[in-house]
Amino acid sequence: MKNSKLKNSLTALVLLFTIAGFAQDKSSNIVSLDEFYSKIKSQKNPQIIDARGADEFALNHINGAVNFNLQSENYGKYVAALDKSKPVFIYSIGAGRSVALEKELLKNGFAAAYSLEGGIANWIGNGKPFYTNSKSKLSLTEYNKIVAENNSVLVDIGSKYCGACKKVKPILETIKAQYGEKLKIVEIELEDSPQIIADLKNINIFPTLILYQKGEIIFKKEGINNLKNEVDVALN
């Protein structure tokens, strides 16, 4: 009887440690924009990593960032150039590649690594300084004019490199077919118009959808869940 109780206790203990280990493995240091920015500003020479692809990085990135991810050809060389004793600040288009890289660095002895919540969308979309090699196709003045001159305006803000953003397109086509000229649809991509996204200073993630009526925001939503239904409710 005692042996049976001991066996059950050991089994429960092993299960507890297994669950704890799994939970720890799943955790990550995803931090808010304010915390991410504050930590970077506290460092004399911050180690900032853009974990997106090279083509994405070439178009826009956080000032001072270097570009590599787990799939980079010279991954080991890039990691070796970092100081393990200092924090590393990582971002991507959202949080996928940045979290994967963050976990890998922590597993390999880095003192601290942080992933930016909302990625580059959050950084640029809230007006933080960034590099871009392109001029925005749409200015804030032009944006405000569109909103003012049209009764109903649906704005889609995203990136061609964002998987979730691609899923918005067919929904917009359905909405466009239904409402025609009654609804002005404006599509803004980071790669074409980074400055207008920065000037709006209220974009935290891609995709973000904003519906205006008579110049007023009816709703602002992050992601595409119930988008069609919410547009229908607002316009009917």
Side-chain angles (χ1 to χ4, degrees), residues 14 43 47 79 88 90 112 114 124-125 131 139 141 146 154 157 178 183 185 191 207 224:
V14 169
Q43 299 291 310
Q47 301 183 118
V79 172
V88 180
I90 315 168
Y114 304 96
I124 292 179
Y131 163 85
S139 70
T141 299
I146 292 171
L154 178 61
I157 301 172
Q178 179 176 341
L183 176 64
I185 296 179
E191 295 71 36
I224 62 175

Side-chain angles (χ1 to χ4, degrees), residues 66-207:
V66 295
N67 177 225
F68 70 90
N69 54 50
L70 291 174
Q71 285 74 47
S72 294
E73 185 177 345
N74 296 315
Y75 173 77
K77 179 181 177 182
Y78 287 120
V79 172
L82 298 173
D83 186 341
K84 286 188 174 184
S85 68
K86 295 180 179 179
V88 180
F89 306 95
I90 315 168
Y91 67 93
S92 54
I93 192 70
R97 285 170 288 184
S98 61
V99 168
L101 180 55
E102 169 220 309
K103 288 184 176 183
E104 185 65 20
L105 294 180
L106 290 174
K107 188 172 74 176
N108 285 281
F110 279 76
Y114 304 96
S115 293
L116 173 59
E117 182 181 24
I120 192 70
N122 200 6
W123 183 276
I124 292 179
N126 281 279
K128 299 303 183 195
F130 67 100
Y131 163 85
T132 179
N133 68 359
S134 61
K135 183 180 179 181
S136 288
K137 290 183 178 179
L138 182 68
S139 70
L140 183 60
T141 299
E142 291 167 332
Y143 179 94
N144 289 333
K145 185 178 179 182
I146 292 171
V147 171
E149 292 182 349
N150 292 273
N151 187 59
S152 300
V153 181
L154 178 61
V155 182
D156 166 33
I157 301 172
S159 164
K160 66 181 181 181
Y161 294 101
C162 162
C165 299
K166 295 175 183 177
K167 296 178 181 179
V168 178
K169 305 308 178 186
I171 300 174
L172 291 181
E173 288 301 319
T174 300
I175 293 172
K176 188 183 297 183
Q178 179 176 341
Y179 291 99
E181 294 181 359
K182 293 180 180 179
L183 176 64
K184 177 72 173 178
I185 296 179
V186 180
E187 298 179 64
I188 301 174
E189 289 192 340
L190 175 65
E191 295 71 36
D192 296 326
S193 299
Q195 192 56 52
I196 178 61
I197 295 175
D199 290 340
L200 288 173
K201 291 190 171 82
N202 66 351
I203 307 304
N204 304 317
I205 196 170
F206 291 149

